[in-house]
Amino acid sequence: MSESSLFGLEKCIGVGRAIVVITTAIASLTACVTIQTPPVATSPSPVSSVATSPSPVVATPTPVATIPAPSPVAPPVTISAPAPAGVLVLGTASTGQTISLDTNSIPFDDGAYAQATYYLGDERLEATIHCGQNYWTVKGDSTRYTPQSQATQNLVTLACQSRFIKENERMNHFIVYDPPSNVRSAPNGSVKCVIENMEIIQVVNEPRGTWYSTTKCGGGWIDESQIRPIR
């Protein structure tokens, strides 16, 4: 073999060795180096797109205390109450209501005024009566009231007459409460005069049966069915 052929063979052998070395080195490098593969992003589990409606919250209203409407306030001059037993009925007012007088409420007073309690229906009223001018006012009210019916005239007349009668004289004074009433010359005698309206009369002496002697009409007799005590 010629010298040039040998040189070529050695050269080929050297290249082969070099390839082997390089291949070995690459294999070693591959074994030592871990190729980090980037993580593959995973899609999150699909979330239902249907929104769940929240349960409605029902607000419990705070109980509100019911405030009752105030009763109508009565004027200080009136007290609603039925007339007590024994109160004298005077008649019917122009308003259609019954007028009654509490004769026990009238104190002795020899002045120009009489104080009295009366009832207009079931309404209790405290009155000051001006006897000389025939009018009255109600406590707490400055209005001047004048008689508009025989019943209210009876109120003024009886209160003003009664104010002059002292306590120890009341047994001798009676109210003519159911006029017209006859005053007779004697029991069951002839009529001397007629009392047309309610008023107070004085009686004298002891009665004869049901007949009372009175100073009315210059002296006469009246039956007990027509009169009643002041108290």
Side-chain angles (χ1 to χ4, degrees), residues 1-27:
M1 181 175 292
S2 63
E3 183 176 346
S4 56
S5 298
L6 288 174
F7 178 76
L9 179 61
E10 287 177 359
K11 186 176 181 179
C12 291
I13 292 172
V15 171
R17 288 178 179 172
I19 290 172
V20 172
V21 171
I22 290 170
T23 302
T24 302
I26 290 172

Side-chain angles (χ1 to χ4, degrees), residues 62-175:
T62 303
V64 178
T66 302
I67 301 175
S71 304
V73 180
V77 299
T78 64
I79 301 174
S80 181
V87 167
L88 179 64
V89 175
L90 304 179
T92 304
S94 59
T95 59
Q97 295 171 288
T98 300
I99 295 282
S100 304
L101 173 65
D102 181 0
T103 56
N104 292 329
S105 68
I106 306 168
F108 173 78
D109 188 345
D110 57 1
Y113 297 91
Q115 307 296 324
T117 298
Y118 74 99
Y119 293 82
L120 180 62
D122 285 342
E123 188 177 31
R124 183 174 181 268
L125 302 162
E126 304 291 339
T128 298
I129 301 170
H130 194 298
C131 298
Q133 297 187 24
N134 204 44
Y135 73 82
W136 73 95
T137 58
V138 174
K139 185 178 180 181
D141 182 2
S142 61
T143 304
R144 291 186 178 189
Y145 297 96
T146 57
Q148 301 297 311
S149 65
Q150 186 58 53
T152 49
Q153 184 59 62
N154 291 339
L155 167 66
V156 173
T157 299
L158 294 181
C160 289
Q161 290 180 344
S162 183
R163 82 187 195 281
F164 288 126
I165 302 171
K166 296 179 180 179
E167 188 66 32
N168 60 353
E169 298 173 341
R170 289 182 177 268
M171 293 297 296
N172 296 328
H173 290 81
F174 288 77
I175 298 172

